[in-house]
Amino acid sequence: MTILLYNNDTNRMERFERDARDPMPYADSSLLVGEFRGTSRSQLLWTQRRTMDSWVSFRRIWGQPIYVRHCFRRVGEGGHANQSQHYAGTAFDCAHNLSSAQRAQMRASAQSSGLWTYVEPAYLTPTWVHFDTRTLPPACFTGGYPLTRRGSVGVYVLILQDALNIVTRAGLGLDGMFGVATEDAVGFFQATRGLTADGIVGCVTWQLLTNSAVGAGFSPYA
């Protein structure tokens, strides 16, 4: 499988070829590619260095293996909310095998660690623990993905390119780099939805695009 990784330290995309039983890049042996892939059918995965670093540090704090059920999904596969961090490869749903008291302990540890941008409260995920390294601020006041525009690099550009290929058949290469071709594809999508075709992916553009792409299947282009 191919793994595209956004390195937050260098602002560059990195590419790895790994088998399911290999460790994820920067994650030593505490997270295997197959665990990160989960139920996704995609041969192309993506994540970011910050996410892997947070996982490794938290795994050391926890001090024992952590059962992981859901990490990565492609936006066309669906299965999560329309602007889910699972489509960005920045989220973990785990600890389904623990007791309620043990999950409460893990949530408290995740919150106090300072490693995660968001830890889901128990009333939203009563039978598992969710934490992620989402990028802030979101484009919408209510949450979701950050504003993305020409020059942006990273996992949210990958979601954008993937969704545009699904919805508009833009034929974009999935490289995580917001260049001219991606900007033009955004502008085309905006024009078809009656929006100002400025090529900037803000709140409304993200909402309309993800509403159309989530669960719509794999793009024929990747």
Side-chain angles (χ1 to χ4, degrees):
M1 280 175 276
T2 300
I3 302 166
L4 299 177
L5 182 141
Y6 171 61
N7 192 320
N8 310 77
D9 296 333
T10 63
N11 195 35
R12 293 180 181 275
M13 298 299 302
E14 299 175 358
R15 184 185 183 99
F16 302 84
E17 300 294 334
R18 299 283 171 92
D19 293 327
R21 295 183 180 180
D22 291 333
M24 284 291 290
Y26 300 106
D28 55 48
S29 60
S30 65
L31 182 67
L32 303 182
V33 171
E35 291 178 301
F36 179 79
R37 185 191 188 203
T39 59
S40 174
R41 295 182 294 107
S42 181
Q43 293 295 312
L44 174 65
L45 316 176
W46 54 74
T47 186
Q48 57 185 3
R49 174 77 185 266
R50 179 186 167 205
T51 303
M52 294 298 101
D53 288 346
S54 292
W55 170 263
V56 170
S57 295
F58 185 66
R59 170 66 178 73
R60 290 172 182 162
I61 290 170
W62 188 245
Q64 55 187 307
I66 299 173
Y67 171 74
V68 178
R69 181 173 292 179
H70 299 296
C71 287
F72 179 79
R73 293 280 282 183
R74 292 277 287 275
V75 64
E77 293 182 288
H80 298 279
N82 285 359
Q83 292 188 53
S84 170
Q85 296 300 315
H86 290 287
Y87 306 137
T90 66
F92 296 86
D93 285 351
C94 55
H96 299 71
N97 61 331
L98 299 183
S99 68
S100 295
Q102 289 170 319
R103 286 193 292 270
Q105 182 183 357
M106 182 177 286
R107 285 190 195 93
S109 181
Q111 289 170 337
S112 64
S113 72
L115 295 167
W116 307 104
T117 308
Y118 176 73
V119 180
E120 198 112 80
Y123 74 89
L124 292 175
T125 55
T127 59
W128 70 93
V129 177
H130 170 103
F131 39 72
D132 63 58
T133 59
R134 66 187 63 189
T135 295
L136 299 177
C140 295
F141 177 76
T142 53
Y145 300 151
L147 187 144
T148 309
R149 63 197 307 165
R150 186 172 178 181
S152 297
V153 182
V155 293
Y156 299 100
V157 178
L158 285 162
I159 298 171
L160 173 64
Q161 293 170 333
D162 202 17
L164 287 168
N165 283 347
I166 293 168
V167 177
T168 71
R169 296 182 175 267
L172 299 169
L174 301 183
D175 60 7
M177 294 179 284
F178 198 134
V180 174
T182 300
E183 184 178 48
D184 289 345
V186 171
F188 174 79
F189 171 78
Q190 291 170 325
T192 65
R193 297 303 194 272
L195 304 176
T196 300
D198 58 8
I200 299 172
V201 188
C203 179
V204 176
T205 301
W206 269 128
Q207 288 177 332
L208 293 176
L209 182 59
T210 56
N211 286 349
S212 298
V214 168
F218 284 112
S219 160
Y221 302 101

